[in-house]
Amino acid sequence: MNTRVCDTSEQNRYTRQMMLPNWGKTAQQRLKDATVLIAGAGGLGSPNAFYLACAGVGHLKICDDDVVELSNLNRQILHTSQRIGQNKAASAQTTIAALNPYVTVTVVATQITADNVSALLEDVDVVVDCLDNLQTRLLLNRQAHRQTIPMVHGSIYGMEGRVAFINPPHTPCLQCLAGKAFDDGTFPAVGAAVGVIGSLQALEVVKYITGCGRNLTHTILAWDGFHNRFQMLTFNTKADCDVCGPRQPENAK
Amino acid sequence: MRCRVNLASPLWKYSGNQAEFEIEGDTVRQVLSRLEEEAPGMKDILTGPLRDAIRIYLNNDDIEMLEKMDTAIKAGDELYISPVLTGG
Ligand SMILES: [Zn+2]
């Protein structure tokens, strides 16, 4: 359905990644044919949008109903001082168009709700969870599980963060991990730290689409930037998870 | 047995701004109860209303998959306590 990556200037753009073994034209074409939903165009959504666009993902659906505020600009590198007051998804589209004209950006300037989440995930190959509250994250997780769409979870607090690759029905899901919300208010955030976690998420997406490397499944990567510590925490399916648990009727084999 | 306890940063405001503790104990339960004595602000998290919002890992394994609070502690073990992070 998409065009081939045949234009010389388009191919030249990706030379350095196409040098990797098992990448070449095939993996580059897979990226071009892919649709990725970036849920949230804030701190985590910024590095995701940048790195997925410059890697050559053909279609980015960017969803955010918020507008750019001055206090976002310490970390949300998609946006600029001139765009304060603009919708974040629309601002992201402007930034990405300047970075890579071969990428199509669909702007979704609405909040994710139970009513629109299934339409939002339609035709999406992978979703990147870049949201800023547990409730919407869990809503997205539930629907991604229903539609068997992989979701790359990322979250931050100050100078630390988490990444996990959720691949329904093969892996545990976000609901397995999250009991009740700990502190869903305004959280501290350092731009470079958000960049670390968002970049790790983008790499998980790229690995999944190209087939190069191995995804971070059944594990939560916990990064503590305060003390320079990476930990691989076990991540198990909760038997009574009401999204992916084996006791749910729709998950019965 | 002497055990190191590391707290994820959202918990520091409950621990008197301390990120790391060295605590003696034979089981996870003993270590956590001594942690609560040393840092009384941690009560809400360890045994109070926020208990369901955190997970406890022993050497990176979720204690729910081990013997939970009865899991034995060996010298040099590391406990890690963290809520699910939600910021983005
Ligand atoms: Zn689950």
Side-chain angles (χ1 to χ4, degrees), chain A residues 141-210:
Chain A
N141 170 71
R142 183 176 294 271
Q143 193 58 36
H145 187 268
R146 279 197 192 122
Q147 294 176 226
T148 36
I149 300 169
M151 180 172 102
V152 184
H153 167 75
S155 55
I156 62 112
Y157 185 95
M159 289 203 271
E160 73 170 286
R162 309 281 184 267
V163 182
F165 190 89
I166 296 165
N167 193 9
H170 311 292
T171 68
C173 78
L174 191 59
Q175 188 77 55
C176 293
L177 181 69
K180 86 179 186 200
F182 178 75
D183 183 1
D184 238 358
T186 305
F187 52 89
V190 177
V194 179
V196 169
I197 296 300
S199 300
L200 286 169
Q201 284 180 289
L203 191 61
E204 287 302 304
V205 173
V206 167
K207 287 191 295 183
Y208 174 76
I209 296 172
T210 58

Side-chain angles (χ1 to χ4, degrees), chain A residues 5 10-18 20 23-34 36 38 47-60 96 99-103 199 201-207 209-210:
Chain A
V5 189
E10 185 178 7
Q11 237 186 69
N12 283 348
R13 179 184 286 268
Y14 307 123
T15 319
R16 299 293 282 266
Q17 62 201 40
M18 289 171 77
L20 275 173
W23 193 302
K25 284 186 182 171
T26 314
Q28 197 56 51
Q29 188 63 42
R30 280 190 209 127
L31 286 167
K32 190 176 175 69
D33 293 341
V36 175
I38 300 178
N48 271 288
F50 270 106
Y51 282 124
L52 294 176
C54 65
V57 172
H59 182 200
L60 295 177
I96 296 309
L99 179 66
N100 188 348
Y102 296 98
V103 176
S199 300
Q201 284 180 289
L203 191 61
E204 287 302 304
V205 173
V206 167
K207 287 191 295 183
I209 296 172
T210 58

